Amino acid sequence: MTGVQKFQGQMLSARQLFIFLSTTAQSSAQCSFHHFFKVAPGSPSTADLYASPDADYICKDCSVHLRVNPSPSDPDAISGKCLIEDAPWHYFHVTSTSKGEKGRELDAEYVADCCKCYRHIEFTLRLPIIPTSMMKLYSAKPAHKSRTALWLWQRYFQDMITDAERKPIRSENKLFSSLIGGLDGNSQFILREMGYMYDASAQQFVPCDPVNPPKVRHAILEVQFQRWKKEGAPREKDDWPQFESAVSLLCTFLDAKIDGEMGSDKVAYAKSLLDDTSANLYEAIGVTRDATDANIRWAFAELALLNPRGLPDYLNAISELSQKRNSNDLQEFVAMERSKGIPLIGEVNSAYAMLGMTANTSDDMIVAAFTGQATNRPTDEIELREALRIIAFARDSGSISHFLQTGETFDMTGGDATVVLDDPMEVDLKFLPAGIENIGNTCYLNSLLQLYFTIKELRDAIFAFRAPPAKIGSPDPMIVGSSADPLPDASIRESDVIVVEDEDSHAAYSNAVQLPSPPVTGSSPSVIGTNDLTKDVIVVDKEVTASQRKQERQERSHEFVQELSALFASLIWTDRRSIRPSRRVAEVALNNDDLFGQQQDIGESMDNILELLEIAFTSGSAIDAPALSERSNLIKHLFFGKTKQMLNYTDKTGKTHNRRKDEEFSHLIVDVADTLYTSLDAYFGLTKVDLDGVVAEKELSMTIVPPILTIQIQRAKFNRETKKAYKQNDFMKFEKSLRLDRYVVNKEGGPIAPTVDRDHGGESPAKRTRISSPERPGENGSSSSEAVDGSEELEYTLHAVFVHLGEASFGHYYIYIWDDDFSRWLKHNDGDIKEVTETDVLGDTTGSTANAYALIYIRKQAASTLINTYARAPEVRGEYEKNFASLAATVNGRTPGVPDASQFAQIA
């Protein structure tokens, strides 16, 4: 289940249905309760010719129309009491079926079905064609030779129906001018409603739309009713009918027992039911004040069958009514229902608040929130579990109830239930990699670490890394990384706070503006599309230098690589289904101790990790594998490319300008489109921009493509009207293969733009040209970013798909990773790893909140040597024991005096 499905419509007793119809679609502030009238039987035939059918009723005060089907006047229509003996009255399920036309949105249609005898009634409520204020205006105009404005309007409307050809209406006509008042806003409005428009040159209203008979008949009924109210009962030659109250007929038809003899008496009594301070409580369960305690209990039993999710609301209403009515019977009834585990609505709201969720949150997000909260607040687990039980009951959720009973949750992306409890087990080493357990909203980090672990060259470099000796006497400045943290000392002056930014390494990691993160309260599932800090704010003594700050960042990066080395070693040598990482991995990866356990985004985490790795590798050494140290910058080599932006324009003096700007990038951030190619076309497409009042053409292309290409899909959007972030869940089609020819320039600077076969989602190979792209100066290597020497170098294969499940402000990450050795897709969901089909990875996700958030493509020629997904195989372990003997011995506990492997990562 992707969310809570709300009960459509409402349940109403026959009395409540009559009140509902009498209080819906008020067109005047003076009318709070409709008193419907109908044409009386035996009216003059001349009036019947134009009147609406006898199932149409009109409100005495505001002229709202009510149409009932079947007609209460039809002798063959089912009427009266519910046919089921134990039912005290009809209990109607009332739903809205449509809205009115544009400009008449308050018009509405409803259907009412008795849940006991299945009686079906349709109702239509229409606002008046002629507004009440205009009708009163024309009714008050003086007569001219016994003729009135209402008489003339009725003549016009009747002609619109009976005449074979609709006639124009002259605005200069004497009767039109003297009775109606000539051309003004009121007359134009009414005739426009009738399908006329004013021709100023001919000074007349001309028909422009086909006649709408029902609409014209409504207008006739309104005029006739107003004439009857003003002039009284019709005489023999009068052309309006006799009217009478329809309230008694409607009450009998519905079996709505409303006290009173006359229609006005019944209306007064029904209105008094609304004046009760408890009216909203009675309405919540679809009854009125005069319902007995037994009636209320009966209604609750029916509601429990029809809408179990509404039970907390219903029981809450009855609980309050039991106090207001001082009913021991109802108080005992509430106590009995509460003993069955039914919560009150206040308890449901508190349960959602405890988990930081809302009633619109999907079941899987609720479970994810509970898991995260229980991990971070183990002492509150009993209260958290009770909150989860209340939510499961309130939304009648089988999946949450199953989780509470078994500790398993259903995989919302398809498949069987997935064990999520901490239940370590032995696994076949030839079967699956090891998972990484979630230790507090670290699903985004776990997904990234599993990806980086599969990159063999990076994994080897981490194992080979050796940090240089730490310098003695280095300062230990305090890092203030969260805006929620106050400065440690109020006496610190603004001049003592400096901002340090390493432009050489840091700028390339934040290459797009992201949405602001909503406030984080407590611990809840991961947020999508946020990017907090691009600078480090430091409170320093004035004597602290930039070089000392750089040293502190280097030491932090060294610690991170050492933590990764321990984690990756455990992933290779553990025999368990998953490992529990050290808390320090997350703290250092986020570049701030205080951010651990809070909401983070994959894009932001990727920036932090790549920056830490780059700083470490460019300042450390590789003792165990000297060949790796020859690479000047491994991170730039693997993940970074370069774009060329050209800005071409002619200034106001006529001079032509061609500006070029080259920028490094670690990942491309594209908008959601129908396909990935469409999205990339828009990203690299030619656009026009305003430059100091001059239109300039901007074109973007790649000059260097990295062997590992990351494409982040920008799903986080911002609604400027509501000032809130939201997630765009549209499905975007992507394929296993990706050609980049059209987005790369050759050595001469010309673009390569092969055609795209949109029907097949790929390029048309026959129309593609071989290219030769520029190399990065001073660097070589078969899998490097700069080696784009031909068309085959621009063919990429899909290696991983990051998936975000949830909404903009909360959710859960997992990752699909391709295992080329066994030709299989693996789903890494924290500690749980399983095989999935290619359809699970590439299939249409329309209607789901689980969709691709980032795509990792590998240069096809380099994939076999660059990637190793399954590293627990005996032959892989043997290779690492040979190349990194000391690390392998340490993890396996064979070196005297060296800590056990649990020092590196706590094995589950």
Short mmCIF file of all heavy atoms in Angstrom, two decimals, residues 21 34 62 74 179-180 186 193 304 314 317-318 328 334 472 481 493 559 567 638 650 704 709 776 786-787 869:
data_model
loop_
_atom_site.label_atom_id
_atom_site.label_comp_id
_atom_site.label_asym_id
_atom_site.label_seq_id
_atom_site.Cartn_x
_atom_site.Cartn_y
_atom_site.Cartn_z
N LEU A 21 -29.01 18.02 2.09
CA LEU A 21 -29.52 18.62 0.86
C LEU A 21 -30.02 20.03 1.10
O LEU A 21 -29.97 20.88 0.19
CB LEU A 21 -30.65 17.76 0.29
CG LEU A 21 -30.25 16.36 -0.18
CD1 LEU A 21 -31.49 15.56 -0.57
CD2 LEU A 21 -29.27 16.43 -1.35
N HIS A 34 -32.30 25.60 3.01
CA HIS A 34 -33.24 25.68 1.89
C HIS A 34 -34.64 25.22 2.29
O HIS A 34 -34.80 24.20 2.96
CB HIS A 34 -32.78 24.78 0.72
CG HIS A 34 -31.44 25.15 0.17
ND1 HIS A 34 -31.12 26.42 -0.25
CD2 HIS A 34 -30.32 24.39 -0.06
CE1 HIS A 34 -29.87 26.43 -0.70
NE2 HIS A 34 -29.37 25.22 -0.59
N CYS A 62 -33.29 31.50 -1.97
CA CYS A 62 -32.10 31.77 -2.79
C CYS A 62 -32.19 31.18 -4.19
O CYS A 62 -31.23 31.27 -4.96
CB CYS A 62 -30.84 31.25 -2.10
SG CYS A 62 -30.76 29.45 -1.97
N ASP A 74 -43.35 10.28 -8.47
CA ASP A 74 -43.63 9.11 -9.32
C ASP A 74 -44.25 8.00 -8.46
O ASP A 74 -43.62 7.51 -7.53
CB ASP A 74 -42.33 8.62 -9.95
CG ASP A 74 -42.54 7.48 -10.94
OD1 ASP A 74 -43.67 6.95 -11.00
OD2 ASP A 74 -41.57 7.11 -11.62
N LEU A 179 -38.72 48.51 -19.20
CA LEU A 179 -38.96 47.49 -18.18
C LEU A 179 -37.68 46.93 -17.58
O LEU A 179 -37.54 46.80 -16.36
CB LEU A 179 -39.80 46.35 -18.77
CG LEU A 179 -41.20 46.73 -19.24
CD1 LEU A 179 -41.92 45.52 -19.82
CD2 LEU A 179 -42.02 47.33 -18.10
N ILE A 180 -36.74 46.57 -18.45
CA ILE A 180 -35.50 45.94 -17.97
C ILE A 180 -34.44 46.97 -17.61
O ILE A 180 -33.61 46.75 -16.73
CB ILE A 180 -34.97 44.95 -19.03
CG1 ILE A 180 -35.95 43.76 -19.11
CG2 ILE A 180 -33.57 44.46 -18.71
CD1 ILE A 180 -35.60 42.73 -20.15
N ASN A 186 -26.28 43.97 -15.73
CA ASN A 186 -27.21 42.90 -15.36
C ASN A 186 -27.80 42.22 -16.59
O ASN A 186 -27.82 40.99 -16.68
CB ASN A 186 -28.33 43.47 -14.48
CG ASN A 186 -27.82 43.95 -13.14
OD1 ASN A 186 -26.81 43.48 -12.64
ND2 ASN A 186 -28.52 44.91 -12.54
N GLU A 193 -25.52 34.33 -20.18
CA GLU A 193 -25.82 33.00 -19.65
C GLU A 193 -26.73 32.23 -20.60
O GLU A 193 -26.67 30.99 -20.67
CB GLU A 193 -26.50 33.13 -18.28
CG GLU A 193 -25.57 33.51 -17.14
CD GLU A 193 -24.63 32.37 -16.77
OE1 GLU A 193 -25.13 31.32 -16.36
OE2 GLU A 193 -23.40 32.55 -16.93
N ALA A 304 -18.38 0.47 11.29
CA ALA A 304 -17.23 -0.42 11.47
C ALA A 304 -17.08 -1.35 10.28
O ALA A 304 -15.95 -1.72 9.91
CB ALA A 304 -17.39 -1.21 12.76
N TYR A 314 -15.11 7.97 14.76
CA TYR A 314 -16.47 7.65 15.17
C TYR A 314 -16.56 7.44 16.68
O TYR A 314 -17.47 7.95 17.34
CB TYR A 314 -16.98 6.41 14.43
CG TYR A 314 -16.90 6.50 12.93
CD1 TYR A 314 -16.53 5.40 12.15
CD2 TYR A 314 -17.18 7.70 12.27
CE1 TYR A 314 -16.47 5.48 10.78
CE2 TYR A 314 -17.11 7.78 10.88
CZ TYR A 314 -16.75 6.67 10.14
OH TYR A 314 -16.67 6.76 8.78
N ALA A 317 -16.33 10.63 18.60
CA ALA A 317 -17.58 11.39 18.60
C ALA A 317 -18.56 10.81 19.61
O ALA A 317 -19.21 11.54 20.37
CB ALA A 317 -18.19 11.39 17.20
N ILE A 318 -18.68 9.49 19.65
CA ILE A 318 -19.61 8.85 20.59
C ILE A 318 -19.15 9.06 22.03
O ILE A 318 -19.97 9.27 22.94
CB ILE A 318 -19.75 7.35 20.27
CG1 ILE A 318 -20.38 7.18 18.88
CG2 ILE A 318 -20.59 6.64 21.32
CD1 ILE A 318 -20.46 5.74 18.42
N ASN A 328 -25.07 6.72 30.53
CA ASN A 328 -24.29 5.59 31.05
C ASN A 328 -24.19 4.48 30.02
O ASN A 328 -23.17 3.79 29.92
CB ASN A 328 -24.93 5.06 32.33
CG ASN A 328 -24.85 6.06 33.48
OD1 ASN A 328 -23.90 6.84 33.54
ND2 ASN A 328 -25.82 6.02 34.38
N VAL A 334 -18.55 2.78 24.88
CA VAL A 334 -17.23 3.28 24.51
C VAL A 334 -16.14 2.50 25.22
O VAL A 334 -15.12 2.12 24.63
CB VAL A 334 -17.11 4.79 24.83
CG1 VAL A 334 -15.67 5.27 24.66
CG2 VAL A 334 -18.04 5.60 23.94
N ILE A 472 52.77 17.37 15.43
CA ILE A 472 52.55 17.66 16.84
C ILE A 472 52.24 19.13 17.01
O ILE A 472 52.84 20.00 16.38
CB ILE A 472 53.79 17.27 17.67
CG1 ILE A 472 54.06 15.77 17.52
CG2 ILE A 472 53.61 17.66 19.13
CD1 ILE A 472 55.30 15.30 18.23
N GLY A 481 28.91 23.10 12.44
CA GLY A 481 28.39 22.71 11.14
C GLY A 481 26.90 22.73 11.03
O GLY A 481 26.35 22.47 9.98
N ARG A 493 33.63 37.49 18.84
CA ARG A 493 33.26 38.56 17.94
C ARG A 493 33.07 38.03 16.52
O ARG A 493 33.61 37.00 16.17
CB ARG A 493 34.34 39.65 17.94
CG ARG A 493 34.55 40.29 19.31
CD ARG A 493 35.61 41.38 19.23
NE ARG A 493 36.88 40.89 18.71
CZ ARG A 493 37.79 40.31 19.52
NH1 ARG A 493 37.56 40.16 20.80
NH2 ARG A 493 38.94 39.90 19.01
N GLU A 559 41.36 9.81 8.67
CA GLU A 559 40.57 8.97 9.58
C GLU A 559 39.44 8.27 8.81
O GLU A 559 39.15 7.10 9.04
CB GLU A 559 39.99 9.82 10.70
CG GLU A 559 39.16 9.02 11.70
CD GLU A 559 38.50 9.89 12.75
OE1 GLU A 559 38.54 11.13 12.61
OE2 GLU A 559 37.91 9.32 13.69
N LEU A 567 35.88 -1.13 7.22
CA LEU A 567 34.54 -1.53 6.79
C LEU A 567 34.61 -2.43 5.56
O LEU A 567 33.96 -3.48 5.50
CB LEU A 567 33.71 -0.28 6.50
CG LEU A 567 32.29 -0.53 5.96
CD1 LEU A 567 31.42 -1.14 7.05
CD2 LEU A 567 31.68 0.76 5.44
N LEU A 638 38.71 8.93 -11.67
CA LEU A 638 37.58 8.03 -11.79
C LEU A 638 36.25 8.74 -12.00
O LEU A 638 35.42 8.28 -12.78
CB LEU A 638 37.48 7.15 -10.53
CG LEU A 638 38.57 6.10 -10.31
CD1 LEU A 638 38.38 5.41 -8.96
CD2 LEU A 638 38.56 5.06 -11.43
N THR A 650 25.95 39.02 -29.71
CA THR A 650 26.38 40.28 -30.31
C THR A 650 25.91 41.42 -29.43
O THR A 650 24.71 41.52 -29.14
CB THR A 650 25.79 40.45 -31.72
OG1 THR A 650 26.19 39.33 -32.53
CG2 THR A 650 26.26 41.75 -32.36
N ILE A 704 35.57 16.19 -21.46
CA ILE A 704 36.15 15.02 -20.79
C ILE A 704 35.02 14.28 -20.10
O ILE A 704 34.24 14.86 -19.35
CB ILE A 704 37.21 15.43 -19.75
CG1 ILE A 704 38.38 16.15 -20.43
CG2 ILE A 704 37.71 14.21 -18.98
CD1 ILE A 704 39.41 16.69 -19.47
N LEU A 709 30.35 7.62 -14.64
CA LEU A 709 29.49 8.79 -14.84
C LEU A 709 28.28 8.70 -13.92
O LEU A 709 27.52 7.73 -13.98
CB LEU A 709 29.04 8.88 -16.30
CG LEU A 709 28.08 10.03 -16.64
CD1 LEU A 709 28.77 11.37 -16.45
CD2 LEU A 709 27.53 9.87 -18.05
N ARG A 776 43.26 14.86 -21.21
CA ARG A 776 43.68 15.68 -20.09
C ARG A 776 45.22 15.78 -20.13
O ARG A 776 45.89 14.77 -20.15
CB ARG A 776 43.22 15.04 -18.77
CG ARG A 776 43.46 15.92 -17.56
CD ARG A 776 43.25 15.14 -16.27
NE ARG A 776 41.91 14.60 -16.17
CZ ARG A 776 40.90 15.24 -15.58
NH1 ARG A 776 41.11 16.44 -15.07
NH2 ARG A 776 39.72 14.69 -15.51
N GLU A 786 40.23 11.00 -19.35
CA GLU A 786 40.63 11.70 -20.56
C GLU A 786 40.67 10.80 -21.78
O GLU A 786 40.78 11.27 -22.89
CB GLU A 786 42.00 12.34 -20.36
CG GLU A 786 43.16 11.35 -20.20
CD GLU A 786 43.25 10.81 -18.78
OE1 GLU A 786 42.42 11.16 -17.97
OE2 GLU A 786 44.18 10.03 -18.51
N ALA A 787 40.61 9.48 -21.58
CA ALA A 787 40.79 8.56 -22.71
C ALA A 787 39.49 8.40 -23.48
O ALA A 787 38.78 7.43 -23.34
CB ALA A 787 41.29 7.21 -22.21
N THR A 869 31.76 -6.61 -8.16
CA THR A 869 30.63 -6.45 -7.25
C THR A 869 30.65 -7.45 -6.11
O THR A 869 30.40 -7.10 -4.95
CB THR A 869 29.31 -6.58 -8.04
OG1 THR A 869 29.25 -5.53 -9.01
CG2 THR A 869 28.10 -6.47 -7.11
#
